[in-house]
């Protein structure tokens, strides 16, 4: 997902949507390289361990779905991109192809609605309204994102490459600002949407801090799934990869990336 470290104009929002649609061009790479979510988050959402029926909004390749399935829950994915949906099905997740705002629960109700790294593609009010319609009273909606928190050394080194090769790009600006600020803004919008429906109790914000070590090839494998890399010629992306690879080599061949998983959650009011 493109990291929301900067505010976008209307034209950039249109391009942002094009970036999202590009993810399905290589679902295997996306699934292989994208970071997972803390088990503490899964446990916080699911509570006392009772088996739940869960809807995963914008399930993509099923990364979030499989984490909840591994914890013993039943998951139905809703995904707008048929290529991503097909991959998720191959990995064992039931998926219905639709934009969540247009998806029809068809009278079914669920214990939880979750969304990892995707809620910002939805209208927050329409999305919250559809979640309320799909949830049983007392059910929980939880939306969350992984925010990268690179060290000053990594931020400086990677930023220099992007400013040199793609100076006017969204991804170049992503390496010049604080990631948390953008994700807090997304959580605020999600919380406002939940409150606007009048269907939920008080919203809660959760944060989980963790880190992951990357070797050079691991980061370069993940790199095309970030930002707007897919919107540029292959030769340009290869130049970026060469520059980033050289920067990682200069760090000793690897680095530690800190993450904060930030979530907003609310419980469906009793009827």
């Amino acid at each position: 997902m493109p990291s929301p470290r900067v505010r976008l104009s209307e034209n950039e929002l249109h391009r942002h949507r094009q970036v999202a649609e590009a993810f399905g061009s290589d679902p295997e790479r996306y699934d292989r390289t994208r970071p997972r979510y803390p088990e503490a988050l899964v446990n916080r959402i699911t509570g006392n361990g009772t088996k739940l029926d869960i809807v995963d909004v914008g399930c993509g390749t099923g990364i979030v779905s499989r984490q909840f399935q591994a914890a013993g829950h039943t998951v139905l994915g809703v995904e707008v991109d048929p290529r991503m949906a097909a991959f998720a099905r191959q990995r064992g997740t039931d998926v219905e192809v639709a934009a969540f705002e247009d998806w029809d629960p068809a009278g079914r109700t669920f214990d939880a609605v979750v969304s990892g790294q995707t809620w910002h593609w939805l209208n927050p009010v329409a999305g919250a309204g559809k979640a309320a319609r799909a949830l049983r009273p007392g059910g929980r909606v939880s939306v969350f994102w992984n925010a990268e928190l690179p060290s000053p050394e990594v931020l400086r080194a990677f930023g220099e490459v992007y400013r040199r090769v793609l100076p006017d790009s969204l991804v170049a600006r992503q390496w010049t600002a604080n990631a948390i600020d953008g994700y807090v803004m997304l959580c605020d919008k999600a919380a406002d949407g939940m409150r606007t429906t009048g269907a939920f109790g008080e919203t809660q914000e959760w944060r989980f801090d963790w880190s992951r070590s990357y070797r050079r090839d691991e980061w370069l494998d993940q790199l095309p799934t970030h930002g707007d890399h897919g919107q540029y010629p292959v030769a340009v992306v290869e130049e970026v990869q060469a520059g980033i690879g050289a920067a990682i080599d200069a760090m000793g061949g690897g680095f530690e990336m800190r993450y904060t998983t930030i979530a907003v959650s609310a419980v469906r009011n009793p009827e």
Side-chain angles (χ1 to χ4, degrees), residues 217-235:
D217 289 347
E218 289 176 319
W219 185 260
L220 295 183
D221 194 22
Q222 183 184 190
L223 184 148
T225 73
H226 281 263
D228 52 356
H229 291 87
Q231 306 299 304
Y232 295 97
V234 172

Side-chain angles (χ1 to χ4, degrees), residues 2 24 31 63 74 80 84 96 117 122 140 143 170 179 186 191 234:
D31 191 81
I63 290 172
T74 300
V80 70
M84 301 286 260
E96 296 179 5
Q117 222 76 10
L122 280 65
R140 180 178 291 277
V143 302
L170 171 64
L186 294 185
V234 172

Side-chain angles (χ1 to χ4, degrees), residues 209-270:
D209 297 322
W210 54 285
S211 64
R212 174 180 169 180
S213 296
Y214 286 95
R215 302 304 298 171
R216 178 184 189 273
D217 289 347
E218 289 176 319
W219 185 260
L220 295 183
D221 194 22
Q222 183 184 190
L223 184 148
T225 73
H226 281 263
D228 52 356
H229 291 87
Q231 306 299 304
Y232 295 97
V234 172
V236 173
V237 176
E238 289 177 345
E239 185 177 356
V240 170
Q241 289 182 301
I244 296 296
I248 297 173
D249 286 340
M251 299 174 199
F255 64 96
E256 188 85 3
M257 178 64 78
R258 294 180 299 117
Y259 290 90
T260 290
T261 300
I262 184 168
V264 62
S265 184
V267 172
R268 175 78 158 85
N269 290 326

Side-chain angles (χ1 to χ4, degrees), residues 28 32 39 71 103 107 119 127 172 196 205 220 236 256 271:
E28 194 281 331
R32 180 179 69 246
E39 288 303 309
W103 172 67
W119 197 255
T196 298
E205 184 180 300
L220 295 183
V236 173
E256 188 85 3
E271 292 183 344

